[in-house]
Amino acid sequence: MSEQEFESYLGLLSRFLRLDARQRDNIRRELRAHLEEAIDEQVADGVPREIAIQNALEDFGDAAELAARFSKIGWQKRWIMRGTAVAASIGIVALWSVFSGNEPGARVIAQDASANRTSLHDTADRARGIPLGENAIDEQRLTIDFKDIGFSDAISYLAEQTDNNFHVFWQELEQNGIDRDQPISMSLRNVTLDQTLDLLLREASVDVPISYSIKNGIVLISTRSLQVSPSLETRFYEVRDLIPDWEPNLMTNPRNAEAKNYKHHMQVITDAIHRFVVPDSWLVNGGHGDISDVHGVLLIRQTPDVHRKVVLMLERMRELQPILSDNNGQQSAALGVNYAGR
Amino acid sequence: MTALFDRDLLRGSLDTMVLSILTGRERYGYEIQQELRRASGGRIEIKAGTLYPLLHKLETSGFVAARWDDSTGRDRKWYTITDAGRQRLTVAAREWADYVRCVGGLLGPILGNDTPGAIPEAG
């Protein structure tokens, strides 16, 4: 009678589990091992077997409730989440954006917690009335371990891990022979969403390449070529932290040495972007993008894609700044400490 | 006879306790349950129906790894803590200590001054 109870409990649990056969068998196998051990131990202590079985089953509780708890995890398990997304603390980038469309005025692209905002932003910029937002798209680092994950599940995983809105034009993709269940295998460590999407979409493409763009903070995935008429947007980039000896009133006398130093550094940053970030895309090289600087803030008009690369470029420059300053004999000690702490 | 801790009180910290039990060596479910009882002086009982979904959740999150082995004479699923699990445990343990200090501070006046919370935070 009680032996039967034991088996029927496991059977019942199995039936309630909304998981595949292999996962169901694994759970059943593990729980059976536990039950057997718990029963044997009680019997060894002199508890009658029937009572021991009842005690052990009680410890597991209601089969349907337990199955529901397992099934909830199983649902997440489809993504084989081995990695965890780590938000890197880079901050101070991609401030606000003006869309080139018909929208009047400015709009903030992606709002995020203002965790890394420095006091420089808060006081100096606010005083001048510049609206600020932050773009988190490039600031997260992901670890990906997909093993034969459906394409749509891979997208859902990225959306969840990076806390971004994604919209996939499935009809369009399916018309181009792309299957939302097609298996994807990828293993990446410490990559940006940008890099992950580039590879993932290339993996999933059949004949027509799949591309993505970011509009109003939503990641759009489609097979339409997004290069035909690039939607330019203007963003502000705070770079005062890249200028040694920056002071708010530095520009009061444009002829003094500090002002020259400032001009020199802004020129170095601008040149580096022109020469190393998609060179052909800039107005100076016959493209469409443009840069100007206002008091340590770069105003850049570019496509979202190039903006993302600008962010990465500035990130690299921030990392290298201590070394560069060292060569100039400036600020070496203080920055050396910061660098070591990174 | 010491009483069991309230289940609501335990809920948020069971996964941390399970991870800490796994820092010593590889263990299987039944053993984890027993060890938790022993280490708490019988004051913490985790139901098997709570423990296994929790272990599977930790496995899915990559905080523990598991393998089957029957070389001990019984077919068992053995769990080990991963590097990610150790990191998670360190963070959770610090947070827990912080929480204890904070709640201790709040309840200090009721309990008298010999609670950890009554000790001012260093630094």
Side-chain angles (χ1 to χ4, degrees), chain A residues 204-222:
Chain A
S205 295
V206 183
D207 294 322
V208 186
I210 311 172
S211 52
Y212 76 99
S213 60
I214 299 165
K215 184 94 182 162
N216 299 349
I218 300 170
V219 181
L220 303 174
I221 294 173
S222 109

mmCIF file with all atom_site columns, all heavy atoms in Angstrom, chain A residues 204-222:
data_model
loop_
_atom_site.group_PDB
_atom_site.id
_atom_site.type_symbol
_atom_site.label_atom_id
_atom_site.label_alt_id
_atom_site.label_comp_id
_atom_site.label_asym_id
_atom_site.label_entity_id
_atom_site.label_seq_id
_atom_site.pdbx_PDB_ins_code
_atom_site.Cartn_x
_atom_site.Cartn_y
_atom_site.Cartn_z
_atom_site.occupancy
_atom_site.B_iso_or_equiv
_atom_site.pdbx_formal_charge
_atom_site.auth_seq_id
_atom_site.auth_comp_id
_atom_site.auth_asym_id
_atom_site.auth_atom_id
_atom_site.pdbx_PDB_model_num
ATOM 1   N N   . ALA A 1 204 ? 22.301 33.531 -38.008 1.00 0.00 ? 204 ALA A N   1
ATOM 2   C CA  . ALA A 1 204 ? 20.915 33.206 -38.325 1.00 0.00 ? 204 ALA A CA  1
ATOM 3   C C   . ALA A 1 204 ? 20.543 33.544 -39.765 1.00 0.00 ? 204 ALA A C   1
ATOM 4   O O   . ALA A 1 204 ? 19.541 33.052 -40.282 1.00 0.00 ? 204 ALA A O   1
ATOM 5   C CB  . ALA A 1 204 ? 19.987 33.921 -37.356 1.00 0.00 ? 204 ALA A CB  1
ATOM 6   N N   . SER A 1 205 ? 21.341 34.360 -40.432 1.00 0.00 ? 205 SER A N   1
ATOM 7   C CA  . SER A 1 205 ? 21.012 34.792 -41.793 1.00 0.00 ? 205 SER A CA  1
ATOM 8   C C   . SER A 1 205 ? 21.067 33.618 -42.764 1.00 0.00 ? 205 SER A C   1
ATOM 9   O O   . SER A 1 205 ? 21.884 32.715 -42.608 1.00 0.00 ? 205 SER A O   1
ATOM 10  C CB  . SER A 1 205 ? 21.984 35.871 -42.257 1.00 0.00 ? 205 SER A CB  1
ATOM 11  O OG  . SER A 1 205 ? 21.845 37.029 -41.479 1.00 0.00 ? 205 SER A OG  1
ATOM 12  N N   . VAL A 1 206 ? 20.187 33.647 -43.751 1.00 0.00 ? 206 VAL A N   1
ATOM 13  C CA  . VAL A 1 206 ? 20.208 32.612 -44.777 1.00 0.00 ? 206 VAL A CA  1
ATOM 14  C C   . VAL A 1 206 ? 20.806 33.200 -46.060 1.00 0.00 ? 206 VAL A C   1
ATOM 15  O O   . VAL A 1 206 ? 21.996 33.050 -46.313 1.00 0.00 ? 206 VAL A O   1
ATOM 16  C CB  . VAL A 1 206 ? 18.807 32.019 -45.014 1.00 0.00 ? 206 VAL A CB  1
ATOM 17  C CG1 . VAL A 1 206 ? 18.876 30.889 -46.032 1.00 0.00 ? 206 VAL A CG1 1
ATOM 18  C CG2 . VAL A 1 206 ? 18.251 31.495 -43.699 1.00 0.00 ? 206 VAL A CG2 1
ATOM 19  N N   . ASP A 1 207 ? 19.983 33.898 -46.862 1.00 0.00 ? 207 ASP A N   1
ATOM 20  C CA  . ASP A 1 207 ? 20.521 34.551 -48.059 1.00 0.00 ? 207 ASP A CA  1
ATOM 21  C C   . ASP A 1 207 ? 20.652 36.047 -47.827 1.00 0.00 ? 207 ASP A C   1
ATOM 22  O O   . ASP A 1 207 ? 21.693 36.642 -48.063 1.00 0.00 ? 207 ASP A O   1
ATOM 23  C CB  . ASP A 1 207 ? 19.602 34.295 -49.258 1.00 0.00 ? 207 ASP A CB  1
ATOM 24  C CG  . ASP A 1 207 ? 19.582 32.817 -49.631 1.00 0.00 ? 207 ASP A CG  1
ATOM 25  O OD1 . ASP A 1 207 ? 20.656 32.194 -49.550 1.00 0.00 ? 207 ASP A OD1 1
ATOM 26  O OD2 . ASP A 1 207 ? 18.507 32.298 -49.961 1.00 0.00 ? 207 ASP A OD2 1
ATOM 27  N N   . VAL A 1 208 ? 19.547 36.609 -47.337 1.00 0.00 ? 208 VAL A N   1
ATOM 28  C CA  . VAL A 1 208 ? 19.536 38.043 -47.068 1.00 0.00 ? 208 VAL A CA  1
ATOM 29  C C   . VAL A 1 208 ? 20.080 38.280 -45.657 1.00 0.00 ? 208 VAL A C   1
ATOM 30  O O   . VAL A 1 208 ? 19.666 37.608 -44.728 1.00 0.00 ? 208 VAL A O   1
ATOM 31  C CB  . VAL A 1 208 ? 18.078 38.563 -47.141 1.00 0.00 ? 208 VAL A CB  1
ATOM 32  C CG1 . VAL A 1 208 ? 18.033 40.076 -47.013 1.00 0.00 ? 208 VAL A CG1 1
ATOM 33  C CG2 . VAL A 1 208 ? 17.437 38.099 -48.432 1.00 0.00 ? 208 VAL A CG2 1
ATOM 34  N N   . PRO A 1 209 ? 21.022 39.171 -45.521 1.00 0.00 ? 209 PRO A N   1
ATOM 35  C CA  . PRO A 1 209 ? 21.540 39.410 -44.167 1.00 0.00 ? 209 PRO A CA  1
ATOM 36  C C   . PRO A 1 209 ? 20.497 40.050 -43.248 1.00 0.00 ? 209 PRO A C   1
ATOM 37  O O   . PRO A 1 209 ? 19.708 40.890 -43.680 1.00 0.00 ? 209 PRO A O   1
ATOM 38  C CB  . PRO A 1 209 ? 22.715 40.357 -44.400 1.00 0.00 ? 209 PRO A CB  1
ATOM 39  C CG  . PRO A 1 209 ? 22.501 40.956 -45.735 1.00 0.00 ? 209 PRO A CG  1
ATOM 40  C CD  . PRO A 1 209 ? 21.696 39.985 -46.533 1.00 0.00 ? 209 PRO A CD  1
ATOM 41  N N   . ILE A 1 210 ? 20.515 39.637 -42.020 1.00 0.00 ? 210 ILE A N   1
ATOM 42  C CA  . ILE A 1 210 ? 19.635 40.252 -41.020 1.00 0.00 ? 210 ILE A CA  1
ATOM 43  C C   . ILE A 1 210 ? 20.439 41.373 -40.367 1.00 0.00 ? 210 ILE A C   1
ATOM 44  O O   . ILE A 1 210 ? 21.618 41.199 -40.070 1.00 0.00 ? 210 ILE A O   1
ATOM 45  C CB  . ILE A 1 210 ? 19.236 39.242 -39.921 1.00 0.00 ? 210 ILE A CB  1
ATOM 46  C CG1 . ILE A 1 210 ? 18.751 37.932 -40.535 1.00 0.00 ? 210 ILE A CG1 1
ATOM 47  C CG2 . ILE A 1 210 ? 18.173 39.824 -39.007 1.00 0.00 ? 210 ILE A CG2 1
ATOM 48  C CD1 . ILE A 1 210 ? 18.512 36.825 -39.504 1.00 0.00 ? 210 ILE A CD1 1
ATOM 49  N N   . SER A 1 211 ? 19.787 42.496 -40.158 1.00 0.00 ? 211 SER A N   1
ATOM 50  C CA  . SER A 1 211 ? 20.511 43.574 -39.493 1.00 0.00 ? 211 SER A CA  1
ATOM 51  C C   . SER A 1 211 ? 19.680 44.127 -38.349 1.00 0.00 ? 211 SER A C   1
ATOM 52  O O   . SER A 1 211 ? 18.511 43.791 -38.206 1.00 0.00 ? 211 SER A O   1
ATOM 53  C CB  . SER A 1 211 ? 20.856 44.684 -40.478 1.00 0.00 ? 211 SER A CB  1
ATOM 54  O OG  . SER A 1 211 ? 19.696 45.079 -41.164 1.00 0.00 ? 211 SER A OG  1
ATOM 55  N N   . TYR A 1 212 ? 20.295 44.946 -37.543 1.00 0.00 ? 212 TYR A N   1
ATOM 56  C CA  . TYR A 1 212 ? 19.535 45.541 -36.455 1.00 0.00 ? 212 TYR A CA  1
ATOM 57  C C   . TYR A 1 212 ? 19.813 47.037 -36.380 1.00 0.00 ? 212 TYR A C   1
ATOM 58  O O   . TYR A 1 212 ? 20.821 47.528 -36.884 1.00 0.00 ? 212 TYR A O   1
ATOM 59  C CB  . TYR A 1 212 ? 19.882 44.875 -35.118 1.00 0.00 ? 212 TYR A CB  1
ATOM 60  C CG  . TYR A 1 212 ? 21.203 45.304 -34.536 1.00 0.00 ? 212 TYR A CG  1
ATOM 61  C CD1 . TYR A 1 212 ? 21.249 46.272 -33.543 1.00 0.00 ? 212 TYR A CD1 1
ATOM 62  C CD2 . TYR A 1 212 ? 22.396 44.749 -34.984 1.00 0.00 ? 212 TYR A CD2 1
ATOM 63  C CE1 . TYR A 1 212 ? 22.456 46.672 -33.000 1.00 0.00 ? 212 TYR A CE1 1
ATOM 64  C CE2 . TYR A 1 212 ? 23.590 45.145 -34.459 1.00 0.00 ? 212 TYR A CE2 1
ATOM 65  C CZ  . TYR A 1 212 ? 23.634 46.105 -33.466 1.00 0.00 ? 212 TYR A CZ  1
ATOM 66  O OH  . TYR A 1 212 ? 24.821 46.504 -32.941 1.00 0.00 ? 212 TYR A OH  1
ATOM 67  N N   . SER A 1 213 ? 18.881 47.734 -35.794 1.00 0.00 ? 213 SER A N   1
ATOM 68  C CA  . SER A 1 213 ? 19.054 49.161 -35.576 1.00 0.00 ? 213 SER A CA  1
ATOM 69  C C   . SER A 1 213 ? 18.371 49.498 -34.261 1.00 0.00 ? 213 SER A C   1
ATOM 70  O O   . SER A 1 213 ? 17.608 48.703 -33.729 1.00 0.00 ? 213 SER A O   1
ATOM 71  C CB  . SER A 1 213 ? 18.435 49.961 -36.715 1.00 0.00 ? 213 SER A CB  1
ATOM 72  O OG  . SER A 1 213 ? 17.056 49.667 -36.799 1.00 0.00 ? 213 SER A OG  1
ATOM 73  N N   . ILE A 1 214 ? 18.669 50.655 -33.736 1.00 0.00 ? 214 ILE A N   1
ATOM 74  C CA  . ILE A 1 214 ? 18.042 51.058 -32.477 1.00 0.00 ? 214 ILE A CA  1
ATOM 75  C C   . ILE A 1 214 ? 17.258 52.328 -32.730 1.00 0.00 ? 214 ILE A C   1
ATOM 76  O O   . ILE A 1 214 ? 17.791 53.313 -33.234 1.00 0.00 ? 214 ILE A O   1
ATOM 77  C CB  . ILE A 1 214 ? 19.102 51.282 -31.386 1.00 0.00 ? 214 ILE A CB  1
ATOM 78  C CG1 . ILE A 1 214 ? 19.846 49.979 -31.144 1.00 0.00 ? 214 ILE A CG1 1
ATOM 79  C CG2 . ILE A 1 214 ? 18.451 51.771 -30.100 1.00 0.00 ? 214 ILE A CG2 1
ATOM 80  C CD1 . ILE A 1 214 ? 21.115 50.144 -30.372 1.00 0.00 ? 214 ILE A CD1 1
ATOM 81  N N   . LYS A 1 215 ? 15.990 52.260 -32.474 1.00 0.00 ? 215 LYS A N   1
ATOM 82  C CA  . LYS A 1 215 ? 15.136 53.427 -32.702 1.00 0.00 ? 215 LYS A CA  1
ATOM 83  C C   . LYS A 1 215 ? 14.322 53.651 -31.438 1.00 0.00 ? 215 LYS A C   1
ATOM 84  O O   . LYS A 1 215 ? 13.637 52.748 -30.962 1.00 0.00 ? 215 LYS A O   1
ATOM 85  C CB  . LYS A 1 215 ? 14.217 53.141 -33.894 1.00 0.00 ? 215 LYS A CB  1
ATOM 86  C CG  . LYS A 1 215 ? 13.338 54.305 -34.300 1.00 0.00 ? 215 LYS A CG  1
ATOM 87  C CD  . LYS A 1 215 ? 13.984 55.117 -35.391 1.00 0.00 ? 215 LYS A CD  1
ATOM 88  C CE  . LYS A 1 215 ? 13.099 56.314 -35.759 1.00 0.00 ? 215 LYS A CE  1
ATOM 89  N NZ  . LYS A 1 215 ? 13.829 57.348 -36.475 1.00 0.00 ? 215 LYS A NZ  1
ATOM 90  N N   . ASN A 1 216 ? 14.388 54.837 -30.916 1.00 0.00 ? 216 ASN A N   1
ATOM 91  C CA  . ASN A 1 216 ? 13.662 55.187 -29.694 1.00 0.00 ? 216 ASN A CA  1
ATOM 92  C C   . ASN A 1 216 ? 13.916 54.185 -28.567 1.00 0.00 ? 216 ASN A C   1
ATOM 93  O O   . ASN A 1 216 ? 13.006 53.825 -27.829 1.00 0.00 ? 216 ASN A O   1
ATOM 94  C CB  . ASN A 1 216 ? 12.155 55.269 -29.954 1.00 0.00 ? 216 ASN A CB  1
ATOM 95  C CG  . ASN A 1 216 ? 11.815 56.325 -30.978 1.00 0.00 ? 216 ASN A CG  1
ATOM 96  O OD1 . ASN A 1 216 ? 12.672 57.132 -31.351 1.00 0.00 ? 216 ASN A OD1 1
ATOM 97  N ND2 . ASN A 1 216 ? 10.588 56.320 -31.445 1.00 0.00 ? 216 ASN A ND2 1
ATOM 98  N N   . GLY A 1 217 ? 15.153 53.707 -28.490 1.00 0.00 ? 217 GLY A N   1
ATOM 99  C CA  . GLY A 1 217 ? 15.504 52.808 -27.399 1.00 0.00 ? 217 GLY A CA  1
ATOM 100 C C   . GLY A 1 217 ? 15.075 51.367 -27.598 1.00 0.00 ? 217 GLY A C   1
ATOM 101 O O   . GLY A 1 217 ? 15.262 50.545 -26.723 1.00 0.00 ? 217 GLY A O   1
ATOM 102 N N   . ILE A 1 218 ? 14.462 51.056 -28.761 1.00 0.00 ? 218 ILE A N   1
ATOM 103 C CA  . ILE A 1 218 ? 14.049 49.670 -29.021 1.00 0.00 ? 218 ILE A CA  1
ATOM 104 C C   . ILE A 1 218 ? 14.990 49.066 -30.063 1.00 0.00 ? 218 ILE A C   1
ATOM 105 O O   . ILE A 1 218 ? 15.293 49.699 -31.068 1.00 0.00 ? 218 ILE A O   1
ATOM 106 C CB  . ILE A 1 218 ? 12.592 49.617 -29.553 1.00 0.00 ? 218 ILE A CB  1
ATOM 107 C CG1 . ILE A 1 218 ? 11.651 50.231 -28.518 1.00 0.00 ? 218 ILE A CG1 1
ATOM 108 C CG2 . ILE A 1 218 ? 12.180 48.182 -29.878 1.00 0.00 ? 218 ILE A CG2 1
ATOM 109 C CD1 . ILE A 1 218 ? 10.250 50.436 -29.028 1.00 0.00 ? 218 ILE A CD1 1
ATOM 110 N N   . VAL A 1 219 ? 15.457 47.861 -29.798 1.00 0.00 ? 219 VAL A N   1
ATOM 111 C CA  . VAL A 1 219 ? 16.325 47.181 -30.757 1.00 0.00 ? 219 VAL A CA  1
ATOM 112 C C   . VAL A 1 219 ? 15.440 46.512 -31.805 1.00 0.00 ? 219 VAL A C   1
ATOM 113 O O   . VAL A 1 219 ? 14.634 45.638 -31.474 1.00 0.00 ? 219 VAL A O   1
ATOM 114 C CB  . VAL A 1 219 ? 17.218 46.136 -30.056 1.00 0.00 ? 219 VAL A CB  1
ATOM 115 C CG1 . VAL A 1 219 ? 18.139 45.458 -31.061 1.00 0.00 ? 219 VAL A CG1 1
ATOM 116 C CG2 . VAL A 1 219 ? 18.030 46.787 -28.945 1.00 0.00 ? 219 VAL A CG2 1
ATOM 117 N N   . LEU A 1 220 ? 15.559 46.959 -33.057 1.00 0.00 ? 220 LEU A N   1
ATOM 118 C CA  . LEU A 1 220 ? 14.725 46.423 -34.143 1.00 0.00 ? 220 LEU A CA  1
ATOM 119 C C   . LEU A 1 220 ? 15.557 45.461 -34.968 1.00 0.00 ? 220 LEU A C   1
ATOM 120 O O   . LEU A 1 220 ? 16.683 45.769 -35.340 1.00 0.00 ? 220 LEU A O   1
ATOM 121 C CB  . LEU A 1 220 ? 14.229 47.558 -35.037 1.00 0.00 ? 220 LEU A CB  1
ATOM 122 C CG  . LEU A 1 220 ? 13.449 48.671 -34.344 1.00 0.00 ? 220 LEU A CG  1
ATOM 123 C CD1 . LEU A 1 220 ? 13.147 49.795 -35.332 1.00 0.00 ? 220 LEU A CD1 1
ATOM 124 C CD2 . LEU A 1 220 ? 12.154 48.123 -33.761 1.00 0.00 ? 220 LEU A CD2 1
ATOM 125 N N   . ILE A 1 221 ? 14.979 44.298 -35.256 1.00 0.00 ? 221 ILE A N   1
ATOM 126 C CA  . ILE A 1 221 ? 15.702 43.295 -36.050 1.00 0.00 ? 221 ILE A CA  1
ATOM 127 C C   . ILE A 1 221 ? 14.913 43.007 -37.312 1.00 0.00 ? 221 ILE A C   1
ATOM 128 O O   . ILE A 1 221 ? 13.720 42.665 -37.242 1.00 0.00 ? 221 ILE A O   1
ATOM 129 C CB  . ILE A 1 221 ? 15.932 42.025 -35.216 1.00 0.00 ? 221 ILE A CB  1
ATOM 130 C CG1 . ILE A 1 221 ? 16.884 42.375 -34.068 1.00 0.00 ? 221 ILE A CG1 1
ATOM 131 C CG2 . ILE A 1 221 ? 16.500 40.895 -36.066 1.00 0.00 ? 221 ILE A CG2 1
ATOM 132 C CD1 . ILE A 1 221 ? 17.096 41.299 -33.068 1.00 0.00 ? 221 ILE A CD1 1
ATOM 133 N N   . SER A 1 222 ? 15.566 43.203 -38.460 1.00 0.00 ? 222 SER A N   1
ATOM 134 C CA  . SER A 1 222 ? 14.841 43.063 -39.719 1.00 0.00 ? 222 SER A CA  1
ATOM 135 C C   . SER A 1 222 ? 15.785 42.659 -40.841 1.00 0.00 ? 222 SER A C   1
ATOM 136 O O   . SER A 1 222 ? 17.002 42.642 -40.667 1.00 0.00 ? 222 SER A O   1
ATOM 137 C CB  . SER A 1 222 ? 14.110 44.379 -40.025 1.00 0.00 ? 222 SER A CB  1
ATOM 138 O OG  . SER A 1 222 ? 14.699 45.056 -41.088 1.00 0.00 ? 222 SER A OG  1
#
